[in-house]
Amino acid sequence: MSKRLLSLCSLVMVIAVVVGSFAPAARAQEDLSGEVEIFSWWAGSEGPALEALIALFNEQYPNVEVINATVAGGSGTAAKAVLKTRMEGGEPPDAFQAHAGQELIGTWVAADRMEDLTFLFEEQGWLDVFPEGLVDLISTDEGIWSVPVNIHRSNVLWYVPANLETWGVEVPATWDDFLAVCPTIQEAGVTPLVLGFAWTVYHLWENIAVGVLGPEGWNGIWTGETDLMGEDFLKVWDTFGKVLECSNFGEDNETMEWDKAIDRVVDGTAAFNVMGDWAAGYLTTTRELVPGEGFGYAPAPGTDGTFIMLSDSFGLPLGAPNRDNAIAWLTVLGSKEGQDAFNPLKGSIPARTDADVTNPELYNAYLQSAAADWATDTIVGSLWHGAAANEQFTGNFGGVVDLFTASGAPEAAAAAFVELCSTSGACGG
Ligand code: GAL
């Protein structure tokens, strides 16, 4: 999904929006009081960026109390289950976190449970400041469904430069390079690649798939153009299996959330970890390490020049108990000030194109490099983090990976993948 490709659809949508909606405007700051319940999975080491945003909201809306409802758990697997129960039970929060893309559109938008935010985009002038491709990702013909707060990158390889030097290991440019260096790292008594809970294994899979297939082959999965029983796709599974053998998969990975896996890289018991750049937020904000010194970063093997994107956004459920306050919350997180408060701590870059990303006081070297890559790389959508496929696919994808890890058979996994494509309708064709 290149930014360029998406721009045409967005133009059509922008015209529709301008002609479009007359929903009521957000209320003035001084009128607002009471509560606003914000639902997300940003707790613990994921908390500081959200807290900065809440502090900004408190400054602007001193009479509104924020109820910070979080359900901890990386990539929101636990939070999404709780949200489902609440939505189905008629008890929506005032605003909730969801990834830009099919994660929200294929679920709560499709079920007619969200409010169209076109009016807010018009009122705030956001159609001029959010990238067209991103607006397209959060839109359908019927409306715009959430407010993006950031752009995260899924395909980053994390390591400690001094440790690699000690072990005489270079940063691998491809998965074959990684596999070649794996025995050297193992001989040093170190885990070559550290994984955490199951979702981090699925996250690794998308990185390997993009690394092996390239951006076109990856996009072709979702348009139906990539042959899912073909040689290249079988190579994805084969490579995935070999990489798992160079990891702690099946040993202690199920004991660790993603940040604990990153800790293993920092303490030198593991060489590499593949994780989204919330890891940069953790390493700088919580661990207080300096990018390029305390930790190093590179595109995941085989993905140089490609940016696997995802975007955290918040939507407004129909029937939100404190609708006006929720709109105020959305206004703050979509503002330039809001994005510049949140992103430097989160490890993400602002979704807005006019945020202060070149300011080194705010955005560290890692974030500046991510912003530069975002501007020039080929952009594709993350599967696991909601951008590339619908929730029916994503929710069942783990079963395909589990089948592979149990059988070790690329053909069986590819066939199960094809079957899931067909039941979910996620793969075009
Ligand atoms: C992603 C989310 C990130 C971060 C990560 C780890 O899905 O977009 O903001 O929270 O999960 O939990």
Side-chain angles (χ1 to χ4, degrees), residues 39-218:
F39 185 92
S40 79
W41 59 86
W42 290 331
S45 64
E46 298 223 59
L50 179 62
E51 280 147 26
L53 203 52
I54 292 173
L56 180 67
F57 180 87
N58 287 337
E59 265 171 42
Q60 295 186 5
Y61 295 91
N63 301 324
V64 178
E65 188 194 346
V66 176
I67 313 291
N68 184 9
T70 54
V71 176
S75 82
T77 27
K80 284 180 219 166
V82 173
L83 179 70
K84 186 163 186 270
T85 308
R86 289 191 56 173
M87 292 289 278
E88 286 173 350
E91 287 182 359
D94 291 313
F96 65 82
Q97 177 188 359
H99 289 120
Q102 286 302 313
E103 180 176 306
L104 181 66
I105 288 178
T107 52
W108 302 119
V109 174
D112 214 5
R113 301 296 301 278
M114 302 303 291
E115 191 166 329
D116 174 12
L117 297 170
T118 303
F119 76 93
L120 193 60
F121 276 71
E122 287 178 351
E123 180 191 281
Q124 299 294 322
W126 286 343
L127 292 166
D128 298 327
V129 296
F130 286 115
E132 291 178 347
L134 182 59
V135 174
D136 191 50
L137 202 56
I138 53 175
S139 302
T140 62
D141 290 345
E142 279 76 45
I144 309 179
W145 302 104
S146 62
V147 181
V149 66
N150 66 3
I151 302 291
H152 263 309
R153 184 175 195 174
S154 138
N155 59 316
V156 188
L157 185 71
W158 307 96
Y159 56 91
V160 173
N163 289 348
L164 295 196
E165 217 175 294
T166 310
W167 304 320
V169 166
E170 307 250 312
V171 177
T174 64
W175 285 110
D176 285 342
D177 289 351
F178 170 77
L179 294 173
V181 88
C182 164
T184 312
I185 303 172
Q186 283 171 327
E187 275 154 30
V190 171
T191 306
L193 183 81
V194 62
L195 288 161
F197 290 150
W199 76 266
T200 72
V201 180
Y202 312 148
H203 181 110
L204 173 69
W205 185 89
E206 80 176 25
N207 273 269
I208 292 179
V210 175
V212 171
L213 298 172
E216 250 178 63
W218 174 254

Side-chain angles (χ1 to χ4, degrees), residues 373-387:
D373 290 349
W374 170 245
T376 54
D377 278 6
T378 302
I379 310 295
V380 300
S382 160
L383 163 63
W384 186 251
H385 305 279

Side-chain angles (χ1 to χ4, degrees), residues 16 42 124 187 195 227 234 249 255 259-260 267 305 419:
W42 290 331
Q124 299 294 322
E187 275 154 30
L195 288 161
D227 177 1
L234 293 177
F249 179 76
T255 64
D259 50 350
K260 298 287 172 262
D267 71 22
E419 176 65 24

